[in-house]
């Protein structure tokens, strides 16, 4: 408000006709000759004919000099209160106090700019012109007009029955304002003008010296009333030089502050760290002059405790007249000296920050200062408490605020009157204005600590500077709390010119610790409901009160934010999700399709069917099983396994559904995340009834989901069934990603997983028998001596309390003797962990001609034999395969039949719905089991629903592609991604399989399962895109490698080839390629130290964030940032029919279920519309509020649009190098002017989730870099995306 303060004294003409008689702080209005103005008071009472102010005979007689509190005064001392403050929050505070004490007995008129909306509880409004706050001549004209229009208001003015309430602001303690207000016939409730002048900052310090109160040394640069015309540049320069000279002449070396007595709230104050540095002094002086616009009342004050550690606590003591109130208020502020937190402490608790003797001295000095200054009302004495260099606690008074302060309640609630009423600051001001002396207050029982919390809407930094955010305040949300005794929020548009403070909350507690605990709870549960950008303020406040240092009282007032954890992102509101995430999705749609027909959107009818399925399944109750009780901690693992065995014996086996995780990995470009929740409900309800005993999740579902914007933790939780275990695919030391993780990273990752799963099921002990059954496999079944990465990760999972199911990867190249040894190791691993191994799995990542009943059964028999030799129960063997030729389900049916012949009924085989096109047809294979008719009926229902659910992914459908031959043994689940990769690399899709076959022959890593399948695919692609490698055949590749050829592959591929962790022998071509690429290999080996470990993560990360960061490394950290910024798609995991629907086709009045903040809120989409600028409006209704957002029309035609994207390389220019590898540019490894050398690294791309170094080709050898046209990745932004043919570098002859 001080910025708007431009008080102008009443003009000479006005002074001639305005006479005032000031007696006992009462003003009698005599006359005022002013031109008649338009009425500017608006009544807000129900009756339009009721006068704004009614005459009351008791109004004058009520004003007597009794020593009573405001609540003890039955009638208000004044009939009318006129609020004058542009801050809605300040006006609301005054109004709340007056209404709490006198209700409707006192009339309240609010001063507003023309067009403003008065507060709901106000009786009327007096309107002034915009930006005229502090212009008392203009205010007088509007007041006169109002009085002319309303004779009752005029009568109250004449009789001195209108009290002027300026709230809190620099205006409220201005002696000029007091004189001007009294001159208008209004009663001034603040400090008497003479006292106000005596107690201003410089006068206050002089009084301190007289009464012996300590105050920092100071230098007066200009007294009040000596201001010069700063609008004249020459005058301003002369004033600046004069003040600089005065400071330098004193030879001061201690840091200090330059202050203006007219400032406040950090304004008009400048830090001066070195008073001997002329330029520092100049900068500080200019800052104060520029902020205040006046040159009087300016002084320099040394900072306290500069010989000590510089820390201090700011203490505020309130005086009423000359009586010092109970308790002290401590203040914490930012680097700009703006208050952030104010906490009132009773006399008993003040001693937490200063010795009792010093506190009593401070109270005595405060009373002495008030007495000498002639204080007549409420004022605040500010002091700094610190421990000096000798370890002695000291204090220094710095100033006196002669006005009410926003934080007054932090002390007011520590007191009560003789009737038990709390103290109301503004009501007490009214009482003093009427002549009532300060009453006797006593400590309030049970309250030893009061927090005044400010509500702001912005993002603080480590200095506490707040970047305020715009928005519209709708109200508060969250449960009401009994110990929040006062909460005030000003609805409407946030104003930065008036007051960015939205409101306040006052929290009472018995002591400091309870106050901190309640503040934590408050800032967690209660939030302003704001339409507009979110802010980090609430989370920052939570972090402050939850910090150990603050709870111990060790955070000084001048270091509030120094060591505080500042949130990286604002806490988002649900409205932000609707306007910033859902609205653009509905208009622009999800990512481009990657299937055979990428533009084949699901029809509206199909989407409606999926929506109906979702609604129907939500209304169904699935069966409770023994697993349900085990997951909750109500049954043991052995009880669950015994129940599973019994079920298998009755049925003759069982099945695990791989839909949608694996069906969509192979058939829909791994788009299972968006339908995971709905599919899980279908499995819980119908597949379980049909003999299903598990639900497959994880692996590529988590990894691909994260890359596409879905929170892997949410996907994990949504894939945890109620009545059967989730089986997550885990790639041994690679877990869910492609980066090899060391044990130091895996162990905390597995512990985080265990906590997340146990937390979902609400188990009482999160690390005892965690209901998590991941399939743990290693692509090469590798072991050497005592080293086996699979065994290591299985042991770590057991230590975390999980129940891993070890997997043997099937291949005819892996010997059965190795399988026997592997089985024995797994049994031993579990025994060492104090557990029993019950379940193992045979994993065929594809199919192949070798997948026959005889071959698979031979593997089962080997496993059974090892269990029998160890005297164990029959193992439960899970079997997995894909189906490329329609025989997969028949092999499964044959396996069930063979097992029954052998008296073995514990096979569990993976399957999917009828005609799924990727995996075993469950209707075929389950025909061999002893299922009941009702189970077959449930199977039909499950299959029908699941097929419909997955049909929503039509744009990603690759099940009809011809890419995978019928006899292939390649990993299933890659056809969708193969189509996408072929497009990215500019290859014919039919070349992809050729690439795989060549790579598999030359680099025979077994088996083609992640990550080995990724390695071989990249090797195959590198073969295809190398123009000089001809012919594209096994022989051609061998010749290329043997002649020193390199391949454009990432470091992960080179590491995989280097380690060769597979039971298949390594051929010479592998070592030769690594020799050719020795530099790249060494770089890859060196880069392993870049793995993100637990020590690299911020301490404030949640368990979910730790899981994401450790499990997915850099991509995980990127996602956490995107999620914090609201750029993820996680909220739409519950509504696949919306996520995959064609843009702009969602019917109006659709009801959507979203995922947000651990809840599933429902929102009504009310339709699309058009904005005047051509944007599309997207409208919602949520919690009774209409919410609208505007999104640019993606179909709008923009004339002469510039061609976007990177520049294309010119094939005719020998210096142009066009990339052959698509992806994101991470960085250039050369600079402009460098001379290029063949084979040396030129740049790094990220392609297909791996880093690929691009070496200098032969044609650029010896040329000089002229231009690097692309931008690489930075901490703030992604690098430019390139496609084959894009210009990567331009060179010229050296």
């Amino acid at each position: 408000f001080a910025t708007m303060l431009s008080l102008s004294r009443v003009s000479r003409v006005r002074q001639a006709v305005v006479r005032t008689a000031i007696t006992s702080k009462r003003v009698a209005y005599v006359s005022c000759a002013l031109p008649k103005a338009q009425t500017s008071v608006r009544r807000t009472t129900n009756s339009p004919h009721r006068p704004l102010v009614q005459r009351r005979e008791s109004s004058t007689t009520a004003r007597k000099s009794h020593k009573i509190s405001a609540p003890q005064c039955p009638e208000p001392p004044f009939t009318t209160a006129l609020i004058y403050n542009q801050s809605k929050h300040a006006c609301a505070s005054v109004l709340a106090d007056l209404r709490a004490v006198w209700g409707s007995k006192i009339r309240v008129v609010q001063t507003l700019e023309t067009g403003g909306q008065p507060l709901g509880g106000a009786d009327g409004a007096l309107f002034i012109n915009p930006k005229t706050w502090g212009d008392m001549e203009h205010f007088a004209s509007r007041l006169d007009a109002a009085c002319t229009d309303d004779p009752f208001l005029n009568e109250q003015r004449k009789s001195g029955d209108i009290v002027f309430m300026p709230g809190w602001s620099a205006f409220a303690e201005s002696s000029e304002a007091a004189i001007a207000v009294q001159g208008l016939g209004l009663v001034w409730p603040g400090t008497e003008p003479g006292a106000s002048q005596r107690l201003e900052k410089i006068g206050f310090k002089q009084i301190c010296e007289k009464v012996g109160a300590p105050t920092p040394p100071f230098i007066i640069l200009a007294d009040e009333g000596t201001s010069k015309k700063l609008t004249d540049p020459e005058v301003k320069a002369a004033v600046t030089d004069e003040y600089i000279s005065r400071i330098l002449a004193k030879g001061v070396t201690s840091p200090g502050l330059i202050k203006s007595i007219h400032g406040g709230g950090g304004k008009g104050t400048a830090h001066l760290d070195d008073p001997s540095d002329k330029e520092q002094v100049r900068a500080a002086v200019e800052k104060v002059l520029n902020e205040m616009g006046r040159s009087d009342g300016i002084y320099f004050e040394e900072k306290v405790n500069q010989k000590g550690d510089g820390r201090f606590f700011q203490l505020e003591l309130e005086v009423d007249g000359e009586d010092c109130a109970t308790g002290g208020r401590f203040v914490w502020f930012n680097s700009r000296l703006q208050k952030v937190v104010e906490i009132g402490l009773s006399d008993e608790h003040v001693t937490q920050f200063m010795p009792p003797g010093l506190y009593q001295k401070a109270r005595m000095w405060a009373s002495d200062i008030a007495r000498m200054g002639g204080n007549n009302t409420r004022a605040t004495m500010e002091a700094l408490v610190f421990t000096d260099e000798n370890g002695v606690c000291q204090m220094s008074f710095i100033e006196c605020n002669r006005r009410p302060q926003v934080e007054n309640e932090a002390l007011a609630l520590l007191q009560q009157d003789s009737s038990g009423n709390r103290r109301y600051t503004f009501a007490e001001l009214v009482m003093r204005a009427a002549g009532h002396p300060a009453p006797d207050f006593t400590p309030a029982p049970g309250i030893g600590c009061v927090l005044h919390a400010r509500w702001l809407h912005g993002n603080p930094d480590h200095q506490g500077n707040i970047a305020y955010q715009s928005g519209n305040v709708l109200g508060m949300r969250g449960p009401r709390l009994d110990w929040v005794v006062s909460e005030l929020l000003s609805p409407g548009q946030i104003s930065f010119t008036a007051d960015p403070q939205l409101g306040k909350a006052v929290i009472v507690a018995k002591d400091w610790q309870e106050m901190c605990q309640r503040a934590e709870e408050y800032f967690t549960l209660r939030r302003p409901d704001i339409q507009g950008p979110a802010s980090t303020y609430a989370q920052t406040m939570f972090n402050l009160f939850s910090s150990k240092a603050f709870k111990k009282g060790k955070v000084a007032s001048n270091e509030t934010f120094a060591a505080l954890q500042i949130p990286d992102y604002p806490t988002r509101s649900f409205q932000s999700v609707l306007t910033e995430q859902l609205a653009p999705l509905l208009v622009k749609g999800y990512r481009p399709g990657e299937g055979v027909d990428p533009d084949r959107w699901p029809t509206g009818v199909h989407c409606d069917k999926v929506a109906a399925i979702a609604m129907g399944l939500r209304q169904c109750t699935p069966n409770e099983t023994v697993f349900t009780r085990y997951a909750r901690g109500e049954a043991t693992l052995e009880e669950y396994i015994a129940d599973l065995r019994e079920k298998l014996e009755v049925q003759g086996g069982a099945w695990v559904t791989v839909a949608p995780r694996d069906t969509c990995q192979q058939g829909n470009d791994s788009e299972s995340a968006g339908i995971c929740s709905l599919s899980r409900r279908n499995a819980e309800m119908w597949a379980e009834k049909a003999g299903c005993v598990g639900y497959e999740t994880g692996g590529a579902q988590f990894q691909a989901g994260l890359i596409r914007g879905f929170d892997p933790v949410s996907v994990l939780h949504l894939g945890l069934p109620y009545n059967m275990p989730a089986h997550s695919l885990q790639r041994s030391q690679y877990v869910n990603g492609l980066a090899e993780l060391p044990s130091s990273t895996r162990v905390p990752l597995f512990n985080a997983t265990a906590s997340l799963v146990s937390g979902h099921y609400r188990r009482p002990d999160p690390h005892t028998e965690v209901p998590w059954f991941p399939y743990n496999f290693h692509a090469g079944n590798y072991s050497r001596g005592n080293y086996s990465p699979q065994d290591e990760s299985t042991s770590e999972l057991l230590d975390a309390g999980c129940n891993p199911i070890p997997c043997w990867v099937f291949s005819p190249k892996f010997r059965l003797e190795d399988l026997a040894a592997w089985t024995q190791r797994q049994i031993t691993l579990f025994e060492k962990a104090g557990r029993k191994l019950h379940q193992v799995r045979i994993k065929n990542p594809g199919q192949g001609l070798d997948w026959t009943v005889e071959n698979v059964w031979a593997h089962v028999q080997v496993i059974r034999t090892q269990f029998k030799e160890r005297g164990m129960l029959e193992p439960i063997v899970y079997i997995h395969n894909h189906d490329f030729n329609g025989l997969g389900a028949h092999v499964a049916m044959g396996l069930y039949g063979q097992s029954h012949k052998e008296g073995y009924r514990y096979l569990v085989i993976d399957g999917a719905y009828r005609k799924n096109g990727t995996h075993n047809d469950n209707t075929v294979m389950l025909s061999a089991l002893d299922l009941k008719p009702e189970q077959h009926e449930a199977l039909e229902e499950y299959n029908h629903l699941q097929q419909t659910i997955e049909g929503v992914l039509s744009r990603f459908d690759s099940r009809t592609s011809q890419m995978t031959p019928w006899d292939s043994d390649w990993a299933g689940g890659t056809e969708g991604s193969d189509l996408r990769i072929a497009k990215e690399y500019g290859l014919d899709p039919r070349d992809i399989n050729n690439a795989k076959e060549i790579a598999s022959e030359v680099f025979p890593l077994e088996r083609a399962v992640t990550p080995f399948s990724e390695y071989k695919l990249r090797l195959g692609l590198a073969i295809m895109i190398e123009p000089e490698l001809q012919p594209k055949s096994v022989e051609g590749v061998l010749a290329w490698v043997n002649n020193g050829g390199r391949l454009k592959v990432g470091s992960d591929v080179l590491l995989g080839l280097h380690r060769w962790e597979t039971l298949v022998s390594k051929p010479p071509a592998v070592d030769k390629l690594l020799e050719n690429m020795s530099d790249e290999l060494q770089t890859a080996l060196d880069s392993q130290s870049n793995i993100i470990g637990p020590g690299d993560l911020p301490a404030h990360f949640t368990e979910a964030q730790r899981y994401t960061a450790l499990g997915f490394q850099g991509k995980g950290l990127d996602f956490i940032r995107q999620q914090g910024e609201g750029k993820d798609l996680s909220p739409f995991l519950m509504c696949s029919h919306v996520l995959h629907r064609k843009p702009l086709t969602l019917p109006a009045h659709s009801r959507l279920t979203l995922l947000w903040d651990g809840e599933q809120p429902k929102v009504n989409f009310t339709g699309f519309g058009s904005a005047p600028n051509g944007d599309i409006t997207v409208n919602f209704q949520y919690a009774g509020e209409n919410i609208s957002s505007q999104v640019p029309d993606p179909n709008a035609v923009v004339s002469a649009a510039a061609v976007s994207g990177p520049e294309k390389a010119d094939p005719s220019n020998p210096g142009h190098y066009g990339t052959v590898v698509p992806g994101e540019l991470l960085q250039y490894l050369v600079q402009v002017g460098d001379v290029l050398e063949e084979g040396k690294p030129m740049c790094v791309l990220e392609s297909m989730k791996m880093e690929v170094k691009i070496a200098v080709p032969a044609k650029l050898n010896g040329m000089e870099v002229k231009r690097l046209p692309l931008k690489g990745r930075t901490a703030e932004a992604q690098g430019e995306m390139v496609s084959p043919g894009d210009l990567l570098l331009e060179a010229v002859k050296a």
Side-chain angles (χ1 to χ4, degrees), residues 911-937:
Y913 54 91
R914 173 84 172 128
K915 295 184 178 180
N916 64 83
T918 62
H919 291 75
N920 297 336
D921 183 326
N922 57 20
T923 61
V924 174
M925 72 180 199
L926 295 182
S927 64
L929 297 187
D930 300 326
L931 299 184
K932 299 175 183 178
E934 56 266 29
Q935 288 183 292
H936 284 289
E937 291 176 3

Side-chain angles (χ1 to χ4, degrees), residues 351 354-365 393 395:
T351 55
M354 62 191 301
L358 183 59
Y359 173 54
Q360 292 305 320
K361 281 186 178 181
R363 291 172 55 80
M364 178 190 70
W365 283 324
C393 189
M395 68 167 294

Side-chain angles (χ1 to χ4, degrees), residues 971-1283:
T974 66
E975 289 187 345
S977 57
D978 288 350
L979 285 171
R980 170 169 43 82
I981 291 165
K983 183 168 65 176
E984 290 175 358
Y985 277 79
L987 298 174
D988 187 315
R990 288 172 291 186
D991 288 339
I992 296 293
N993 191 68
N994 187 32
K996 293 176 182 178
E997 292 183 350
I998 295 172
S1000 296
E1001 187 72 23
V1002 179
F1003 310 104
L1005 281 164
E1006 277 291 325
R1007 178 89 178 221
V1009 58
T1010 307
F1012 289 179
S1013 59
E1014 301 279 352
Y1015 299 164
K1016 291 199 287 186
L1017 175 59
R1018 282 158 177 73
L1019 286 163
L1021 290 171
I1023 292 168
M1024 290 297 162
I1025 65 175
E1026 189 62 55
E1028 298 178 22
L1029 196 166
Q1030 298 294 340
K1032 308 293 187 186
S1033 63
V1034 172
E1035 294 74 17
V1037 174
L1038 289 173
W1040 171 266
V1041 171
N1042 290 329
N1043 289 327
R1046 291 180 168 89
L1047 294 174
K1048 295 179 177 66
V1049 292
S1051 58
D1052 291 347
V1053 176
L1054 295 176
L1055 289 173
L1057 293 176
H1058 172 70
R1059 291 185 178 164
W1060 202 257
E1061 290 186 348
T1062 176
L1063 298 179
V1064 177
S1065 298
K1066 181 168 59 171
V1070 174
D1071 287 330
K1072 180 58 178 173
L1073 178 65
L1074 294 175
E1075 177 187 330
N1076 300 345
M1077 302 181 69
S1078 57
D1079 290 345
E1080 291 93 331
L1081 175 60
Q1082 188 59 52
T1083 301
L1085 291 169
D1086 295 341
S1087 69
Q1088 288 183 278
S1089 60
N1090 296 330
I1091 291 294
I1092 296 168
D1096 301 316
L1097 305 182
H1100 68 275
F1101 263 24
T1102 64
E1103 199 77 277
Q1105 290 172 321
R1106 288 172 61 82
Y1107 169 89
T1108 302
L1110 295 175
F1112 302 96
Q1113 296 290 294
K1115 290 293 185 183
L1117 287 175
D1118 289 344
F1119 176 81
I1120 292 169
R1121 184 187 70 252
Q1122 293 168 5
Q1123 190 174 36
E1125 295 171 351
K1127 296 179 180 178
D1128 67 314
L1129 297 174
S1130 308
F1132 316 124
L1133 286 169
M1134 302 294 295
C1135 49
S1136 56
H1137 62 290
V1138 175
L1139 178 69
H1140 292 285
R1141 193 180 192 110
K1142 188 174 183 179
L1144 295 170
T1145 64
L1146 184 66
H1149 308 297
S1150 294
R1151 189 164 175 79
L1152 314 180
T1153 299
L1154 302 182
L1155 185 68
W1156 179 71
D1157 203 21
E1159 300 177 357
Q1160 296 180 13
K1162 293 177 174 54
V1163 61
N1164 288 323
F1165 167 69
T1166 56
F1168 297 106
S1170 298
N1173 65 351
D1175 285 354
I1176 294 173
T1177 60
V1178 190
N1179 306 295
F1180 308 98
Q1181 190 175 65
Y1182 172 69
E1185 295 286 340
N1186 292 318
I1187 300 169
S1188 183
S1189 178
Q1190 289 188 201
V1191 180
D1193 185 352
N1195 299 317
V1197 178
V1198 181
S1199 60
V1203 177
S1204 60
E1207 177 184 351
K1208 289 294 182 181
D1210 181 358
S1212 64
N1213 187 333
H1216 274 204
Y1217 180 77
T1219 184
V1220 293
V1221 177
E1224 176 192 355
L1225 177 68
L1226 299 184
Q1227 62 174 327
Y1228 282 107
L1229 301 177
V1230 294
Q1231 298 178 348
V1232 172
D1234 286 354
V1235 176
L1236 299 173
E1237 182 181 347
E1238 181 183 357
K1240 295 296 183 181
M1242 184 168 64
C1243 65
V1244 183
L1245 298 174
E1246 183 175 280
S1247 179
M1248 296 172 59
K1249 300 171 281 189
M1250 289 187 180
E1251 291 188 7
V1252 180
K1253 280 193 176 177
I1254 305 299
V1256 176
K1259 75 169 190 173
L1260 297 182
N1261 185 44
M1263 299 184 76
E1264 181 180 309
V1265 178
K1266 176 184 178 183
R1267 186 161 60 101
L1268 303 173
L1270 302 174
K1271 294 180 180 178
R1273 183 189 293 178
T1274 66
E1276 295 77 27
Q1278 176 179 281
E1280 288 195 65
M1281 303 300 296
V1282 293
S1283 299

